[in-house]
Amino acid sequence: MRDVAIIGVGMNKWGELWESSLRDIFTEAALLAIEDAEVDHIDSMYIGCMSSGLFVGQEHLSSLLTDYLGMGPIPATRVESACSSGGLALRTGLIDVASGMNDIVLVGGVEKMTDVSVHGATFALSTAADQEYEVYHGVTFPGLYALMARAHMHRYGTTRKQLAQVAVKNHYHGSMNPLAQYPQKITAEEVIESVMVADPLRILDCSPITDGAAAVILAPLDLAKKISKKPVVKIIGSGHATDTIALHSRKDLTEIKSTERAAKIAYEMASKSPEEIHLAEVHDCFTIAEICVIEALGFAEKGKGGPATEHGMTTLGGKIPVNTSGGLKSKGHPVGATGVAQAIEITKQLRGEAGERQVKNAKVGLTQNMGGSGGSSIVHIMEVV
Amino acid sequence: MSSPRYWRGIPQRYRLEAGKCKKCGKIYFPPRLICDECKSREFEKVNLPKEGKILTYTIIRVAPSQCTDQAPYAMGIVELSAGSTGKDGVKILSQIADCDFDKLEIGMPVRIEFRKIYQEGEAGIICYGYKCVPV
Ligand SMILES: [Zn+2]
């Protein structure tokens, strides 16, 4: 296997982009990445997208998006793994370059979620859960994560305020990210008093519905060192694992095993331990998710994710800043784009280009992207070389 | 929901029919074609017990479109009784009907009842299935 590096990143401001189509938001991000990498061609392309079929009635993105990017007839592949489609597209692109099959590979992610009603979006997202044994009975994604939150609070004493602190921190980080959908700072009181969605989760515990795209350019490390004018970010670890689709089929309702397994594989491949990670972008689709995930990644002991967050371990300036981009919560969550955008934030941080939210001496970063209620997870570790 | 899709689920939704691995005894709901523990492909049909306890719960306030007329409603993950098998009981997700939201708690005993789940408009299918109620 060849070593692989990220040599270009591209992303526009996320939000409710009523004036832009899926093909336009994707093309904008892809062109920014190509310009950032200063490459004159790409050899192949991977697109993470969860459900363009349900959100805009369009499949066959491989053809559509290469066409509008002016890159036909290169090979292109759409990758779907619910909300981890972007992370999986990155891993698939990584395998393509590592294998020697292609050199310059564009990995993008996109989701256009606001062309449908809120009910339409809720339905499209719910297809990431078990339709027959979860959704049939009336559960929603906030509902599934609420079930995890209640179990975590009951077993470990995680508090309502600790959950809120995840949202407060990520909006604080997002306030320094000009591309974030909701860059407003919020307080714990505002979270705790916001509208109840599925007890104990309130609207400010939930990530929003977002239109957005993100893209990165991959190249073999040797070539990257020759052609890149910016610090080269090497992908040193990649892990991917699955778990049962139905939350209720899992042994422990407070653990995200797919993340634990994916992280173990990525740590081993990178020869790194959790203590050696300087910052991370994780899948905070709901506040409880970030707490479970920092435990699964080994940043906090099992059951201690709440207190660790409350004491500032994961805030900028803390031991391991998590979601300096604002995370899904503040930056937005266009599901297929999220995993790619996480890699962009880590790349910018490792290059020293993160501005106000720059983590000092950041050399090693991690991304964790997951689908559904944890039915799939992808973890990447990156190091600036 | 199409009629064939609804019809296929009737043994599980109406009768809680599960598959028990003939080799290792693990029970699957819904039934599967291969056992993830021992890889055996031989199963016998069993009906799940109708009693269990709540492992975790929530109150759905913002419901999907087919259930908005019922909101708010409680849902829980319920572990069904394993009797004297010495194994973990099968877990299911269902609505918790006829309950006082404030009195719900983890560990609470429930029993399974046959109920209407939702109705697809005036002319659509009426979807039935299991819900649990506090004992
Ligand atoms: Zn078996």
Side-chain angles (χ1 to χ4, degrees):
Chain A
M1 275 205 320
R2 300 193 291 183
D3 287 332
V4 179
I6 295 177
I7 60 166
V9 299
M11 179 176 157
N12 256 343
K13 187 169 171 73
W14 286 0
E16 295 181 20
L17 309 175
W18 291 317
E19 289 177 358
S20 306
S21 61
L22 181 146
R23 63 188 77 179
D24 287 344
I25 55 180
F26 179 86
T27 305
E28 281 169 9
L31 288 174
L32 286 171
I34 290 168
E35 282 164 21
D36 187 52
E38 297 187 55
V39 290
D40 58 6
H41 74 286
I42 51 177
D43 298 321
S44 80
M45 184 159 108
Y46 292 87
I47 305 138
C49 180
M50 174 183 167
S51 199
S52 55
L54 290 174
F55 283 118
V56 295
Q58 178 72 61
E59 309 287 15
H60 207 184
L61 298 186
S62 55
S63 167
L64 175 78
L65 298 178
T66 45
D67 180 8
Y68 275 75
L69 188 56
M71 290 291 174
I74 63 160
T77 306
R78 150 111 174 255
V79 177
E80 188 277 318
S81 186
C83 315
S84 63
S85 300
L88 190 53
L90 177 60
R91 181 173 155 91
T92 315
L94 168 76
I95 292 167
D96 190 355
V97 179
S99 74
M101 190 75 88
N102 283 297
D103 284 337
I104 312 287
V105 170
L106 187 146
V107 174
V110 64
E111 214 74 55
K112 172 75 186 162
M113 302 173 75
T114 66
D115 275 3
V116 291
S117 67
V118 172
H119 274 311
T122 303
F123 172 71
L125 292 170
S126 81
T127 60
D130 185 331
Q131 281 298 312
E132 306 296 336
Y133 293 92
E134 294 186 311
V135 179
Y136 180 83
H137 292 277
V139 83
T140 55
F141 263 100
L144 289 168
Y145 278 91
L147 291 167
M148 293 162 83
R150 179 86 64 191
H152 204 278
M153 292 164 103
H154 183 257
R155 173 151 349 140
Y156 297 114
T158 304
T159 65
R160 186 43 275 200
K161 198 161 161 248
Q162 289 165 352
L163 293 176
Q165 189 52 36
V166 173
V168 171
K169 166 186 71 77
N170 290 348
H171 275 269
Y172 162 64
H173 291 163
S175 72
M176 294 176 269
N177 182 354
L179 303 183
Q181 179 179 14
Y182 291 108
Q184 303 82 347
K185 286 182 202 165
I186 56 172
T187 64
E189 290 68 39
E190 284 170 323
V191 179
I192 292 167
E193 283 161 21
S194 64
V195 173
M196 191 73 92
V197 176
D199 311 32
L201 300 182
R202 293 169 182 269
I203 189 81
L204 289 179
D205 287 296
C206 309
S207 55
I209 284 170
T210 310
D211 299 329
V216 300
I217 308 288
L218 304 181
L221 183 64
D222 294 343
L223 180 64
K225 282 179 175 164
K226 273 186 224 143
I227 64 173
S228 189
K229 297 185 183 112
K230 298 187 169 158
V232 170
V233 172
K234 180 182 166 189
I235 303 178
I236 57 172
S238 175
H240 178 199
T242 53
D243 199 350
T244 64
I245 188 161
L247 174 65
H248 60 260
S249 300
R250 305 196 193 139
K251 252 200 172 62
D252 191 325
L253 302 171
T254 64
E255 285 182 346
I256 300 181
K257 274 279 174 212
S258 61
T259 290
E260 220 174 287
R261 292 189 193 104
K264 188 168 182 285
I265 296 163
Y267 285 134
E268 275 174 19
M269 181 174 166
S271 302
K272 297 281 180 198
S273 67
E275 293 73 33
E276 293 172 285
I277 306 296
H278 299 148
L279 79 160
E281 286 285 303
V282 311
H283 200 92
D284 60 323
C285 49
F286 299 91
T287 50
I288 182 64
E290 183 170 313
I291 287 175
C292 294
V293 164
I294 62 173
E295 294 172 9
L297 293 172
F299 299 155
E301 261 176 70
K302 206 146 273 184
K304 300 279 171 60
T309 304
E310 194 172 23
H311 299 141
M313 183 187 88
T314 53
T315 310
L316 193 58
K319 191 175 141 218
I320 169 145
V322 169
N323 285 328
T324 52
S325 69
L328 286 56
K329 182 71 196 75
S330 163
K331 184 176 70 218
H333 183 28
V335 284
T338 285
V340 180
Q342 292 178 326
I344 293 181
E345 176 68 8
I346 296 298
T347 302
K348 283 180 155 299
Q349 288 280 0
L350 299 185
R351 284 176 175 182
E353 294 174 356
E356 248 191 297
R357 62 182 194 280
Q358 180 66 47
V359 175
K360 287 197 192 94
N361 302 318
K363 303 276 180 253
V364 183
L366 177 150
T367 61
Q368 178 269 347
N369 187 201
M370 68 183 168
S373 57
S376 59
S377 289
I378 294 98
V379 172
H380 283 102
I381 302 174
M382 296 151 200
E383 185 168 33
V384 65
V385 292
Chain B
M1 176 172 306
S2 72
S3 301
R5 181 179 153 201
Y6 184 73
W7 174 80
R8 282 197 301 272
I10 285 177
Q12 283 69 48
R13 293 193 174 119
Y14 288 23
R15 299 188 291 277
L16 289 170
E17 275 183 24
K20 182 177 178 183
C21 175
K22 280 188 175 170
K23 208 165 143 199
C24 76
K26 187 167 172 182
I27 297 174
Y28 292 90
F29 181 77
R32 295 185 176 198
L33 298 177
I34 180 164
C35 176
D36 67 13
E37 298 273 333
C38 75
K39 309 302 170 199
S40 163
R41 298 187 192 188
E42 285 185 54
F43 293 87
E44 60 177 312
K45 197 166 75 184
V46 293
N47 292 86
L48 294 178
K50 296 270 171 58
E51 310 80 40
K53 62 171 198 241
I54 294 174
L55 296 183
T56 182
Y57 65 94
T58 182
I59 319 295
I60 305 285
R61 313 259 173 192
V62 180
S65 58
Q66 76 277 15
C67 296
T68 42
D69 56 336
Q70 299 177 54
Y73 50 88
M75 294 199 76
I77 292 178
V78 170
E79 182 177 7
L80 298 171
S81 160
S84 54
T85 60
K87 300 192 172 185
D88 287 348
V90 171
K91 297 197 284 286
I92 59 168
L93 173 69
S94 81
Q95 286 192 31
I96 308 169
D98 304 342
C99 67
D100 182 343
F101 294 161
D102 296 330
K103 298 216 170 105
L104 286 173
E105 51 181 89
I106 289 172
M108 188 181 226
V110 291
R111 72 168 182 275
I112 305 299
E113 291 194 353
F114 179 68
R115 297 286 180 104
K116 184 167 109 178
I117 307 292
Y118 64 88
Q119 186 166 352
E120 290 185 329
E122 289 295 307
I125 285 182
I126 300 175
C127 298
Y128 294 96
Y130 47 85
K131 287 187 183 178
C132 61
V133 292
V135 175

